[in-house]
Amino acid sequence: MTKKLFVKTWGCQMNVYDSGRMADVVAPLGYAATDDMADADLVIFNTCHIREKATEKLFSELGRLRPHQKAKADRGERMMVAVAGCVAQAEGPEIQRRAPYVDMVFGPQTYHQLPEMIAKVSRGAGIILNTDFTTEAKFDQLPTAHADAGVSVFLSIQEGCDKFCSFCVVPYTRGAEYSRSVASLIAEAEKLVEGGAREITLLGQNVNAFHGEGPDGKVWGLGRLFFRLAEIPNLKRLRYMTSHPRDMDDELIAAHRDLPQLMPFLHLPVQSGSDPILDAMNRKHTSDDYRRLIEKLRNVRPDIALSSDFIIGFPGESDRDFQETMRLIRDIGFAQAYSFTYSRRPGTPAAVMPNQIADDVKNARLQELQQLLRTQQEQFNQSMIGKTLPILFDRAGRYEGQMHGRTPYMQAIHVQGPARIVGREFNVVIENVGMNSLTGRVLAAA
Ligand code: SAH
Ligand code: SF4
Ligand code: F3S
């Protein structure tokens, strides 16, 4: 008999990837995915701890779930509830206290143990709290990514972080940096391509800090891994996220120069343009280091489009510091970016720094910054009109006859076309720019 699994995911792409792996782990137990939380036999909330609202979202979602769980119990059925991810790792006991009807609370390094945990709960072993750090066992024991996951898929190659930026919880929730072996990654990538994948995005909290064991027994960096992945036939596009400026080494830059498969788009968070703030953030690079790095990248790949993350209102940020961030944005020019007001995370050094910035100041600065970023994004999109770009189509769009794809620069695009274009690259002339995507006309196979 099939049982129903409902998964809700917050946070970064790593969590999206992990949710997929969790579904794969429980599939042999008879669980199939459902979109209907009310009817699920197993609910997994895969959580994010990066900013405070994330935790509150979890508790409000748990509150919404509780009546459904009760209704099921009244019918003599059981809804098992699991909280996974970074909030589980950081706040396990708090979750158990505030939501005692949750059956399992477990961190990101324990997903391979999910069948055992489910068995224990079924046997009535009581609430399970599992927040061990055992990254190696996890990757060795998880099934590899689903073979028919789609045209554009994720592949997690690295986990954890040793950088300890003073604002960030990730080193505490995900643990120390760990890289998978090159052999296991090539095998998984080949399987994904056999299953129809044409674009793979390599994932890691610090993906370019990758230092996996190569088949030659030596340590391989991300650049070297890309050169190897580029040899896989039919793998048309490669991407990666998220990177740290300090780990952009020459081999990775060479990969951008030499590999047509490596897409000309890079998400490279800088966080701030002010050197004293970067220092207080423990980023270990200056704003000019970042400018020089971008120059190097543009020298080898002039059309590379850039994205970043910004934190506004970090403790001690003066108007002048903020203006330095605005200046950096103007100097570089971003195709897109994410920006957030600084959020105090318990246990991180910045949370107890003096000179915390008032919310209204943070919000006013954020608006100014987002206005600039929006303008840059619009200009970037507008600059595509009339150009012919290779588009990889990955799925049908929402409307009849509409197909969805991506430009090399990560922009979404919709065209009218037959379903058979999905999974292939076509040249498309860009005709219009809408709110969230481009539109264009398909010319011919690229
Ligand atoms: N490893 C990546 C980022 C991981 S977290 C890097 O080093 O850049 C994703 C983004 O969340 C960060 O880039 C940062 O901009 C934001 N972020 C992290 N902690 C935050 C906090 N305490 N307040 C606000 N934004 C935060
Ligand atoms: Fe967080 Fe910094 Fe590590 Fe990125 S590099 S995950 S921001 S500690
Ligand atoms: Fe969030 Fe954890 Fe990712 S805190 S951003 S889900 S690593």
Side-chain angles (χ1 to χ4, degrees):
M1 208 190 75
T2 63
K3 289 172 272 186
K4 297 190 191 101
L5 166 71
F6 176 87
V7 185
K8 176 152 182 166
T9 309
W10 290 269
C12 61
Q13 307 297 4
M14 296 290 288
N15 260 15
V16 175
Y17 177 85
D18 283 346
S19 290
R21 295 295 70 68
M22 283 193 269
D24 292 341
V25 175
V26 299
L29 307 180
Y31 286 97
T34 176
D35 294 333
D36 181 13
M37 176 168 85
D39 196 33
D41 302 292
L42 173 62
V43 171
I44 301 176
F45 289 146
N46 193 10
T47 59
C48 171
H49 199 48
I50 204 82
R51 287 170 289 275
E52 63 234 288
K53 285 203 190 88
T55 310
E56 286 322 305
K57 277 182 203 152
L58 166 68
F59 282 111
S60 69
E61 201 67 28
L62 282 170
R64 289 206 343 200
L65 166 110
R66 180 65 178 140
H68 298 304
Q69 192 190 32
K70 278 187 183 147
K72 258 195 114 139
D74 290 344
R75 298 199 298 271
E77 294 166 23
R78 174 160 198 186
M79 178 190 282
M80 246 184 236
V81 180
V83 178
C86 292
V87 180
Q89 185 67 42
E91 311 244 26
E94 172 76 0
I95 296 165
Q96 290 184 312
R97 195 182 60 75
R98 279 176 66 178
Y101 48 89
V102 169
D103 300 290
M104 298 171 257
V105 181
F106 49 83
Q109 307 309 337
T110 65
Y111 298 156
H112 56 293
Q113 297 164 8
L114 197 45
E116 283 165 54
M117 294 191 270
I118 291 172
K120 277 190 193 157
V121 171
S122 307
R123 286 200 303 271
I127 298 176
I128 288 180
L129 176 64
N130 188 353
T131 48
D132 294 344
F133 279 120
T134 51
T135 325
E136 298 174 43
K138 170 182 160 180
F139 281 121
D140 290 346
Q141 292 170 32
L142 275 175
T144 51
H146 222 70
D148 55 355
V151 173
S152 178
V153 298
F154 294 134
L155 174 53
S156 177
I157 67 164
Q158 180 279 343
E159 241 199 309
C161 180
D162 294 341
K163 298 246 172 6
F164 290 92
C165 300
S166 60
F167 51 81
C168 182
V169 293
V170 171
Y172 312 96
T173 62
R174 292 274 172 170
E177 244 172 58
Y178 170 79
S179 299
R180 296 175 64 185
S181 74
V182 172
S184 76
L185 294 171
I186 299 299
E188 190 161 337
E190 283 173 343
K191 198 174 145 201
L192 288 163
V193 174
E194 273 164 38
R198 294 294 173 264
E199 171 175 270
I200 297 183
T201 301
L202 304 185
L203 295 180
Q205 268 91 26
N206 264 290
V207 72
N208 61 347
F210 176 81
H211 56 279
E213 190 195 335
D216 53 1
K218 297 204 176 96
V219 172
W220 286 30
L222 182 61
R224 185 128 188 234
L225 178 64
F226 274 129
F227 278 97
R228 175 64 186 84
L229 285 168
E231 292 171 8
I232 298 177
N234 290 326
L235 180 49
K236 299 216 177 302
R237 292 184 168 192
L238 292 163
R239 301 181 184 276
Y240 59 109
M241 67 186 296
T242 295
S243 293
H244 194 293
R246 269 161 66 201
D247 295 316
M248 289 303 299
D249 64 17
D250 288 344
E251 192 158 27
L252 186 50
I253 293 174
H256 277 285
R257 181 191 62 207
D258 297 341
L259 298 175
Q261 293 96 325
L262 188 54
M263 289 291 103
F265 174 85
L266 178 60
H267 181 64
L268 190 64
V270 64
Q271 315 296 357
S272 168
S274 150
D275 290 341
I277 296 296
L278 285 168
D279 189 43
M281 286 177 164
N282 195 31
R283 292 290 289 183
K284 299 210 171 78
H285 63 77
T286 64
S287 58
D288 278 346
D289 291 337
Y290 189 83
R291 284 182 176 85
R292 273 191 292 271
L293 191 52
I294 300 302
E295 200 181 301
K296 258 179 154 179
L297 282 157
R298 282 180 167 156
N299 278 338
V300 302
R301 189 75 217 233
D303 67 333
I304 196 162
L306 296 160
S307 165
S308 180
D309 293 343
F310 296 93
I311 295 181
I312 302 311
F314 185 83
E317 183 188 77
S318 65
D319 269 326
R320 210 168 129 199
D321 294 319
F322 173 66
Q323 288 310 327
E324 286 291 283
T325 302
M326 295 289 281
R327 189 165 70 86
L328 181 86
I329 295 172
R330 280 188 212 100
D331 289 352
I332 305 265
F334 290 94
Q336 62 156 78
Y338 303 91
S339 47
F340 322 90
T341 55
Y342 168 70
S343 169
R344 269 171 115 154
R345 308 312 288 134
T348 60
V352 290
M353 284 180 184
N355 305 320
Q356 298 284 329
I357 306 298
D359 281 347
D360 56 340
V361 176
K362 281 188 205 173
N363 290 332
R365 286 178 187 163
L366 183 69
Q367 289 213 357
E368 193 180 333
L369 175 123
Q370 288 185 336
Q371 182 56 51
L372 176 59
L373 289 169
R374 241 190 327 268
T375 308
Q376 291 193 341
Q377 181 169 356
E378 279 163 14
Q379 280 169 356
F380 180 72
N381 288 340
Q382 290 288 341
S383 75
M384 298 292 140
I385 291 179
K387 284 192 177 145
T388 299
L389 299 176
I391 305 296
L392 176 64
F393 289 95
D394 57 352
R395 58 183 158 86
R398 215 180 323 154
Y399 304 104
E400 185 70 34
Q402 192 190 49
M403 297 296 138
H404 174 277
R406 294 221 177 248
T407 71
Y409 314 108
M410 222 23 211
Q411 296 144 300
I413 176 159
H414 289 97
V415 302
Q416 290 298 120
R420 63 185 156 75
I421 68 176
V422 169
R424 297 172 60 193
E425 248 180 342
F426 286 86
N427 283 323
V428 172
V429 57
I430 311 302
E431 292 180 325
N432 252 306
V433 180
M435 274 301 278
N436 296 311
S437 75
L438 313 176
T439 56
R441 190 162 39 85
V442 181
L443 297 178

